[in-house]
């Protein structure tokens, strides 16, 4: 699907291809994007990022209780189960499930298998609903509270509009669960991409910095003018010193659209 980010992503890919031909080791290259929207779009959790809008820390730092619950408990549990690391799985859960007979074991197995099916095919709301109604799987008190508040809010919506927090939660439930999986993959370092807060650079031989339009913290035309000044050349030298070999390529969309 084409979006306003498509040209930026295409240019970034083109730059990497050119750098590879020039001898850069792409495996030792970190791509620093000065907008998280580009990463979210390319890594497959663009809709999830859009739900939180400017509150990026809600998902990048897992401050949102739903993201925290799914990313820190459910996803590691499912990964450990998939790899048959059952000891690790129960360590993540912090407790062992109550299994006193073969039927208990069968219920646990059936529930986690069903959970994995929902993770791969349904939305976040379907996964949350199944988790909270399950007998053996871990619950989150904060998510249960959110669910109860949403139900109460919807029951009284004619007299009282939903709060922004509940609207955000309601919208989050509609997002494909695959986007949550993609987010967890990114936060776990499973991609060479990073934001300005997520890369130190010392462990990489090369750092490709991509600046895109739509990030209104700076005036890019003036920034380009500074490239010609002695003061900015010193700044480039500082960045290079801190990050090792840092080549800065600028991807700029200066249109007013």
């Amino acid at each position: 699907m084409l979006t306003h980010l498509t040209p930026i992503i295409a240019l970034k890919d083109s730059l990497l291809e050119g750098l590879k031909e020039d001898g850069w080791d792409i495996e030792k290259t970190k791509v620093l994007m000065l907008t998280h929207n580009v990463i979210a779009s390319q890594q497959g959790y663009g809709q999830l990022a859009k739900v939180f809008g400017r509150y990026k820390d809600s998902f990048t730092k897992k401050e949102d209780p739903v993201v925290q619950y799914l990313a820190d408990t459910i996803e590691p549990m499912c990964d450990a189960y998939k790899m048959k690391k059952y000891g690790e799985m129960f360590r993540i859960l912090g407790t062992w499930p109550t299994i006193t007979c073969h039927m208990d074991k069968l219920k646990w197995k059936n529930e986690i298998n069903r959970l994995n099916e929902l993770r791969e095919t349904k939305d976040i709301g379907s996964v949350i609903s199944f988790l909270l109604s399950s007998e053996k799987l871990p619950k989150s008190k904060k998510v249960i509270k959110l669910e109860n508040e949403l139900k109460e809010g919807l029951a009284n919506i004619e007299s009282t509009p939903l709060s922004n927090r509940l609207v955000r939660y309601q919208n989050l439930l509609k997002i494909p669960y695959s986007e949550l999986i993609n987010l967890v993959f990114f936060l776990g370092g499973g991609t060479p991409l990073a934001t300005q807060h997520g890369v130190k650079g010392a462990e990489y031989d090369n750092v490709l910095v991509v600046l895109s339009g739509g990030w209104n913290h700076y005036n890019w035309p003036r920034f380009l003018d500074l490239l010609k000044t002695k003061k900015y050349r010193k700044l480039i030298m500082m960045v290079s010193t801190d990050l090792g070999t840092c080549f800065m390529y600028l991807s700029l969309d200066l249109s007013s659209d």
Side-chain angles (χ1 to χ4, degrees):
M1 180 178 65
L2 295 178
T3 71
H4 68 289
L5 299 174
T6 301
I8 299 172
I9 294 171
L11 181 54
K12 184 268 299 177
D13 291 341
S14 177
L15 283 173
L16 283 175
E17 189 61 33
L19 291 171
K20 184 177 180 180
E21 293 176 358
D22 289 342
W24 268 36
D25 186 346
I26 301 302
E27 295 298 321
K28 296 181 179 180
T29 296
K30 195 74 170 180
V31 181
L32 174 59
M33 314 291 285
L34 294 190
T35 169
H36 201 110
N37 291 334
V38 177
I39 293 178
S41 177
Q42 184 164 10
Q43 295 301 301
Y45 58 92
Q47 294 180 67
L48 187 151
K50 188 175 181 181
V51 166
F52 291 101
R54 60 191 178 92
Y55 301 105
K56 305 299 184 187
D57 286 353
S58 294
F59 63 93
T60 59
K61 296 184 178 180
K62 295 179 282 191
E63 294 179 353
D64 178 80
V66 179
V67 174
Q68 181 186 49
Y69 167 54
L70 297 176
D72 288 348
T73 301
I74 301 305
E75 284 306 295
M77 177 191 73
C78 290
D79 285 345
Y81 178 80
K82 183 178 180 180
M83 294 183 289
K84 298 183 179 181
K85 295 182 177 180
Y86 303 118
E88 174 67 11
M89 179 177 69
F90 295 128
R91 185 195 67 77
I92 292 168
L93 298 179
T95 183
W96 287 77
T98 303
I99 300 177
T100 59
C101 61
H102 177 71
M103 186 58 67
D104 286 337
K105 183 177 181 180
L106 187 61
K107 284 182 180 179
W108 168 264
K109 182 178 179 180
N110 288 341
E111 284 191 353
I112 198 166
N113 284 339
R114 178 56 180 161
L115 171 61
N116 282 325
E117 291 177 7
L118 294 173
R119 288 172 60 247
E120 295 173 0
T121 61
K122 300 297 182 179
D123 55 27
I124 291 176
S126 298
V127 171
I128 291 292
S129 179
F130 178 75
L131 285 166
L132 298 187
S133 64
S134 68
E135 183 179 339
K136 301 294 184 182
L137 300 178
K139 315 290 190 297
S140 164
K141 292 181 180 179
K142 292 181 179 180
V143 175
I144 291 174
K145 182 180 178 181
L146 265 177
E147 272 287 304
N148 292 335
E149 289 178 357
L150 179 59
K151 290 177 181 178
E152 183 179 348
L154 291 174
N156 300 303
I157 198 168
E158 291 186 3
S159 59
T160 307
L162 292 177
S163 66
N164 290 338
R165 183 172 66 98
L166 290 180
V167 169
R168 187 162 52 246
Y169 175 59
Q170 188 179 38
N171 290 335
L172 181 62
L173 296 178
K174 301 174 185 177
I175 302 301
Y177 193 87
S178 59
E179 294 213 2
L180 189 283
I181 294 175
N182 293 336
L183 171 65
V184 172
F185 181 74
F186 168 75
L187 295 179
T191 166
L193 302 179
T195 63
Q196 68 270 28
H197 300 297
V199 60
K200 298 298 183 290
E203 69 271 36
Y204 296 95
D205 291 343
N206 307 306
V207 177
L208 171 63
V209 182
V210 180
L211 313 179
S212 67
W215 202 63
N216 57 9
H217 292 26
Y218 295 99
N219 183 315
W220 294 134
R222 176 163 175 74
F223 185 79
L224 285 175
D225 287 340
L226 289 174
L227 287 172
K228 304 174 183 177
T229 69
K230 183 176 181 180
K231 179 180 179 180
Y232 188 74
R233 282 197 295 272
K234 289 182 179 179
L235 177 60
I236 288 289
M237 290 175 63
M238 284 175 54
V239 173
S240 296
T241 300
D242 291 340
L243 300 182
T245 306
C246 176
F247 295 87
M248 188 170 285
Y249 284 76
L250 308 180
S251 166
L252 301 171
D253 177 8
L254 303 180
S255 65
S256 58
D257 295 338

